[in-house]
Amino acid sequence: MARVITDSCISCGSCASSCPVDAIAQGDSQYEINAETCIDCGACESTCPVGAIVEG
């Protein structure tokens, strides 16, 4: 199951730059993960400075 970015996101972009399949993009108010593209590798979760990315 794809990871999810919670409301704790500070829109720093570190997750997007760490995603090997470009599944993360800036949304209206914060970054969002495209569940269809996400390969559930966890790279984004480990780079988030505020722990805003969790398993969905």
Side-chain angles (χ1 to χ4, degrees), residues 7-25:
D7 290 339
S8 300
C9 176
I10 58 171
S11 295
C12 67
S14 65
C15 58
S17 61
S18 71
C19 182
V21 294
D22 295 324
I24 304 173

Side-chain angles (χ1 to χ4, degrees), residues 22-48:
D22 295 324
I24 304 173
Q26 178 68 49
D28 291 335
S29 61
Q30 67 186 38
Y31 277 82
E32 299 173 350
I33 299 174
N34 180 331
E36 293 181 18
T37 307
C38 178
I39 58 172
D40 200 31
C41 68
C44 60
E45 187 175 0
S46 64
T47 61
C48 180

